[in-house]
Amino acid sequence: DADVTQTPRNRITKTGKRIMLECSQTKGHDRMYWYRQDPGLGLRLIYYSFDVKDINKGEISDGYSVSRQAQAKFSLSLESAIPNQTALYFCATSDPSAAANYGYTFGSGTRLTVV
Amino acid sequence: QKEVEQNSGPLSVPEGAIASLNCTYSDRGSQSFFWYRQYSGKSPELIMSIYSNGDKEDGRFTAQLNKASQYVSLLIRDSQPSDSATYLCAVNVGAAGNKLTFGGGTRVLVKP
């Protein structure tokens, strides 16, 4: 099994619908992140969490919310999806004791299309 | 000014040549720097990390860091068609650390 698992892998949804993207990890890492990727824009941080009780907004949090249900689970919700939220979404984890050298572990991504 | 900047490319190099990628960053407090490779539709994979000025070599890859000039570069020697991908520069910014800011990526095309 993958260390960081994202579900679903692909999703098409309609404008105005609520949708949840899920991320679970077996790395035992405290720190988890949600990024979105658009062509030419690299990865932009949506939300991050350094432990279960710690949730922080990233640079593009508007229109999104998150829930850290457990150390291993971090979900991203789009309350009312809009077409410009069409993107590739990545979940990532890191170990603070090793992060300086090892960066992140990424999930396989969720390709979301809002029509 | 974006926090982390890269030339979007594409950078076209013949097979066997050296590919040279550059990245500049704005936060002088940045401590750790990473290069990720990303194939189309796939997740980024870490290929190099560097946190001290100078060069760091790993196989065909060399990362170079110059904190005074605020740039980090990646050299790919003996480029292979399998190196064709987008390369993302990432910088660990902020006092709390461990929150990566990514550049937009440089697309590399290695032609046989």
Side-chain angles (χ1 to χ4, degrees):
Chain A
D1 289 343
D3 292 327
V4 182
T5 301
Q6 292 185 233
T7 56
R9 291 296 306 276
N10 293 281
R11 179 74 181 268
I12 300 174
T13 192
K14 293 184 177 181
T15 298
K17 293 291 188 181
R18 184 179 189 274
I19 183 171
M20 179 181 289
L21 309 183
E22 300 188 353
C23 177
S24 62
Q25 52 119 344
T26 58
K27 300 284 289 183
H29 291 169
D30 286 328
R31 299 184 174 189
M32 299 186 73
Y33 310 80
W34 276 104
Y35 283 85
R36 68 175 277 177
Q37 186 173 35
D38 301 274
L41 294 180
L43 285 87
R44 292 183 292 165
L45 184 61
I46 306 172
Y47 271 95
Y48 61 102
S49 170
F50 283 179
D51 65 43
V52 175
K53 295 183 179 180
D54 177 75
I55 302 290
N56 304 280
K57 292 182 177 180
E59 60 181 303
I60 55 163
S61 59
D62 287 349
Y64 300 95
S65 63
V66 291
S67 173
R68 184 81 184 264
Q69 300 95 324
Q71 184 205 40
K73 296 182 181 295
F74 192 36
S75 300
L76 175 72
S77 293
L78 286 67
E79 298 302 325
S80 179
I82 56 177
N84 76 1
Q85 291 177 312
T86 294
L88 185 55
Y89 289 83
F90 287 105
C91 175
T93 74
S94 72
D95 172 4
S97 66
N101 290 323
Y102 299 113
Y104 290 171
T105 300
F106 281 92
S108 297
T110 294
R111 185 169 296 280
L112 176 66
T113 302
V114 183
V115 298
Chain B
Q1 181 189 5
K2 292 179 66 175
E3 290 188 60
V4 180
E5 297 211 47
Q6 297 179 251
N7 188 316
S8 60
L11 175 65
S12 183
V13 295
E15 184 175 357
I18 296 175
S20 178
L21 291 74
N22 295 314
C23 170
T24 59
Y25 60 94
S26 60
D27 188 339
R28 285 195 171 275
S30 301
Q31 296 296 319
S32 306
F33 307 85
F34 304 87
W35 284 99
Y36 286 84
R37 178 176 62 198
Q38 186 179 27
Y39 294 112
S40 181
K42 303 296 184 183
S43 58
E45 56 178 320
L46 181 67
I47 54 173
M48 290 289 291
S49 62
I50 187 168
Y51 51 91
S52 299
N53 280 328
D55 295 358
K56 179 181 179 182
E57 186 174 319
D58 184 359
R60 295 186 296 110
F61 298 100
T62 298
Q64 300 173 317
L65 175 61
N66 184 322
K67 289 187 178 180
S69 299
Q70 294 176 243
Y71 80 80
V72 56
S73 61
L74 179 71
L75 300 177
I76 308 173
R77 291 183 301 280
D78 189 23
S79 296
Q80 302 296 309
S82 59
D83 295 324
S84 297
T86 296
Y87 290 79
L88 300 170
C89 172
V91 177
N92 199 340
V93 302
N98 200 214
K99 181 162 64 76
L100 294 185
T101 297
F102 288 82
T106 298
R107 185 170 166 227
V108 173
L109 296 175
V110 181
K111 297 187 174 181

